[in-house]
């Protein structure tokens, strides 16, 4: 069910007088007079917006959707909606996403952004209702705070230290997307509960977030934190590869059984050989993943029982003893990807003619033996 359909269904169920023409006419008209005259209507729309967003699990809304999807009643939209959002903005319940500080850009660029906005007259300190609703996305700050608390609580359930480090991809997935992730990271950073960290690697940039899951502020970023970020990135990458290999193994297993039942033993045998190669790749990938997890667990346990300085030394020693280097990670991942490419080529053999199958099988077998 689409978002607009969910909203209309919920409104009809929860707002009993939504289809009452007299009541609707009063609610949809523009504000006029003193605040005491229109405040009941404002509170109705304000509470309705927050309630619907909470029901949908949203804390970022699109003003255009409110008019064309949420509250469109037979082509009519609330004339007061711009003013409702403007009042919510003035009371600190709405912030445009463009005004949310980006912790990944660094302190200097944030200061430069404020200065530039002030010079160009783009600062949101004195917007108009029309300018506010022209923004593509607006952050509902009460729901943003609630979501940030949920994120921290969720991380605390799977981490036992006073802080944890997650990759930016995982953080954004937990938050619901890149815009949501940026808004929550900005909020947590302002509260001293999170820090952005990055790690350059062969032209790429590993990004992550250090989050405090205790009452204290998050500690400053250390060299060990960057090592942990790299290990977490490696673990996620290896897990993705395992998922791909598992799906391929399941497909090959079903194909082999189907061919066997149909009496096509040659094709079934071919599938069985491909399955063997896939299982070998999976074992190699799983072993390396287990090594990474062991080091991460070792570092986490060290932080529980040692001071931060001692934990850094122990973590660095663990990484060195397990011989997990940046180069080894990249080489292992490349080897796994090459194995998967080989499996893809083997699958193409099945769709080829018998003569072509034989030639391709010989080529791939020679290539695998050389590797």
């Amino acid at each position: 069910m689409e978002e607009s359909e969910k909203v209309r269904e919920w409104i009809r169920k929860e707002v009993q007088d939504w289809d009452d023409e007299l009541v609707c006419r009063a609610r949809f008209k523009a504000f006029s007079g003193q605040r005491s005259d229109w405040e009941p209507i404002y509170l109705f729309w304000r509470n309705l917006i927050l309630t619907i967003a909470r029901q949908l699990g949203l804390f970022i809304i699109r003003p255009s959707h409110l008019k064309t999807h949420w509250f469109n009643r037979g082509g009519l939209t609330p004339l007061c909606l711009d003013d409702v959002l403007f009042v919510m903005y003035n009371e600190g319940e709405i912030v445009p996403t463009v005004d949310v500080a980006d912790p990944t850009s660094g302190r200097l660029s944030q200061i430069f952004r404020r200065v530039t906005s002030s010079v160009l007259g783009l600062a949101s300190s004195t917007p108009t209702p029309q300018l506010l609703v022209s923004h593509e996305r607006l952050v509902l700050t009460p729901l943003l705070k609630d979501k940030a608390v949920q994120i921290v609580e969720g991380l605390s359930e799977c981490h036992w230290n006073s802080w944890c480090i997650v990759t930016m991809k995982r953080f954004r997935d937990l938050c619901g997307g890149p815009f949501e992730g940026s808004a929550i990271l900005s909020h947590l950073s302002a509260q001293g509960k999170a820090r952005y960290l990055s790690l350059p690697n062969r032209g790429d940039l590993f990004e992550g977030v250090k989050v405090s899951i205790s009452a204290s502020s998050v500690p400053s970023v250390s060299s060990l934190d960057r090592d942990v970020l790299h290990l977490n990135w490696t673990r996620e990458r290896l897990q993705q590869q395992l998922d791909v290999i598992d799906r391929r193994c399941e497909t090959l297993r079903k194909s082999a059984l189907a061919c066997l039942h149909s009496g096509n033993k040659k094709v079934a045998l071919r599938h069985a050989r491909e399955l063997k190669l896939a299982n070998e790749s999976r074992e190699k990938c799983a072993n390396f993943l287990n090594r990474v997890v062991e080091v991460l667990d070792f570092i986490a346990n060290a932080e529980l029982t040692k001071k931060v300085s001692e934990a850094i030394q122990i973590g660095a020693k663990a990484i060195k003893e397990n011989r997990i280097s940046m180069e080894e990670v990249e080489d292992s991942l490349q080897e796994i990807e090459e194995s998967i490419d080989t499996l893809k080529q083997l699958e193409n053999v099945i769709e080829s003619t018998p003569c072509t199958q034989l030639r391709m099988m010989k080529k791939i077998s020679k290539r695998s033996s050389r590797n």
Side-chain angles (χ1 to χ4, degrees):
M1 183 182 298
E2 295 183 357
E3 177 183 301
S4 57
E5 295 178 357
K6 291 181 180 179
V7 171
R8 286 193 290 267
E9 181 179 322
W10 185 89
I11 289 178
R12 291 192 182 94
K13 180 180 179 181
E14 300 296 331
V15 184
Q16 301 298 327
D17 54 1
W18 179 255
D19 293 324
D20 189 298
E21 292 298 331
L22 293 177
V23 175
C24 180
R25 190 177 301 118
R27 287 172 177 163
F28 274 55
K29 69 178 182 180
F31 288 167
S32 61
Q34 302 296 321
R35 175 160 183 160
S36 57
D37 299 328
W38 47 260
E39 186 163 23
I41 305 299
Y42 159 72
L43 291 176
F44 168 82
W45 287 112
R46 179 259 184 195
N47 294 336
L48 187 60
I49 291 171
L50 292 177
T51 302
I52 292 175
R54 185 177 285 108
Q55 289 290 326
L56 295 176
L58 304 175
F59 63 87
I60 295 181
I61 59 174
R62 296 175 181 265
S64 59
H65 281 197
L66 268 62
K67 294 182 177 182
T68 59
H69 294 77
W70 287 22
F71 307 131
N72 188 318
R73 188 175 180 273
L76 299 176
T77 58
L79 298 176
C80 60
L81 192 56
D82 292 3
D83 291 321
V84 170
L85 297 175
F86 186 64
V87 175
M88 293 179 67
Y89 169 82
N90 287 330
E91 295 186 351
E93 295 184 326
I94 278 181
V95 177
T97 55
V98 296
D99 290 345
V100 176
D102 183 8
T104 66
S105 61
R107 177 176 175 79
L108 181 61
S109 60
Q110 290 181 36
I111 294 175
F112 177 76
R113 179 181 178 183
R114 294 194 192 100
V115 172
T116 304
S117 298
S118 299
V119 171
L120 297 178
L122 300 176
S124 60
S125 56
T126 56
T128 62
Q130 294 73 24
L131 180 60
L132 180 66
V133 298
S134 68
H135 288 284
E136 185 177 1
R137 296 177 179 84
L138 301 176
V139 179
L140 300 172
T141 53
L143 304 189
L144 165 66
K145 295 175 181 178
D146 293 342
K147 183 65 174 182
V149 171
Q150 293 176 11
I151 295 299
V152 174
E153 290 178 348
L155 290 172
S156 65
E157 292 177 356
C158 52
H159 295 84
W160 297 271
N161 301 336
S162 58
W163 50 265
C164 68
I165 294 174
V166 295
T167 62
M168 184 62 73
K169 179 184 182 303
R170 187 190 173 202
F171 185 79
R172 287 171 175 168
D173 289 344
L174 291 173
C175 296
F179 290 102
E180 291 79 0
S182 296
I184 292 178
L185 178 57
S186 176
H187 172 70
L188 292 176
S189 298
Q191 300 295 317
K193 302 288 289 183
R195 291 180 184 270
Y196 167 78
L197 66 154
S198 60
L199 176 66
N201 179 51
R202 297 186 181 182
D204 296 327
L205 186 67
F206 297 160
E207 296 180 294
V209 182
K210 185 175 184 179
V211 183
S212 172
I213 52 180
S214 64
S216 59
S217 299
V218 64
S220 58
V221 175
S222 65
S223 59
L224 176 62
D225 294 335
R226 292 184 171 86
D227 289 333
V228 172
L229 171 61
H230 182 259
L231 290 170
N232 277 325
W233 177 89
T234 304
R235 177 174 60 181
E236 292 180 9
R237 183 74 176 275
L238 290 171
Q239 186 60 57
Q240 291 173 4
Q241 297 287 14
L242 276 178
D243 293 340
V244 171
I245 295 174
D246 285 342
R247 289 193 295 269
R248 196 173 301 278
C249 287
E250 182 63 19
T251 300
L252 290 171
R253 187 186 65 82
K254 291 180 179 179
S255 299
L257 290 175
C259 292
L260 188 61
H261 291 159
S262 63
N264 196 339
K265 295 182 179 181
K266 290 184 178 180
V267 177
L269 181 59
R270 189 181 303 128
H271 284 306
R273 290 172 180 170
E274 296 172 27
L275 181 60
K276 181 181 179 181
L277 290 175
N279 284 325
E280 290 174 355
S281 296
R282 189 192 189 286
E283 183 178 0
K284 185 184 301 182
C285 185
N287 289 337
F288 192 69
L289 175 60
N290 291 335
R291 288 178 58 197
V292 173
V293 172
E294 287 176 4
V295 176
L296 285 169
D297 290 342
F298 190 90
I299 295 173
N301 292 332
E303 198 276 335
L304 285 172
T305 56
K306 302 291 182 180
K307 296 179 181 179
V308 174
S309 59
E310 294 175 346
I312 293 175
Q313 296 175 2
I314 293 174
K317 181 180 179 181
I319 294 173
K320 183 177 180 180
E321 289 179 349
N322 282 270
R323 297 187 179 90
I324 295 180
S325 63
M326 304 275 282
E327 291 74 17
E328 184 182 5
V329 169
E330 296 298 333
D331 293 339
S332 297
L333 290 175
Q334 183 178 358
E335 184 177 354
I336 292 169
E337 289 176 352
E338 290 176 355
S339 299
I340 292 178
D341 289 339
T342 300
L343 292 175
K344 290 181 180 178
Q345 294 180 48
L346 287 170
E347 284 186 347
N348 294 332
V349 174
I350 303 173
E351 301 175 358
S352 306
T353 61
C355 294
T356 306
Q357 289 180 11
L358 182 58
R359 289 196 299 269
M360 290 185 67
M361 286 293 291
K362 289 181 179 179
K363 290 181 180 180
I364 296 174
S365 298
K366 291 180 179 179
R367 185 182 308 169
S368 300
S369 61
R370 288 198 301 267
N371 293 336

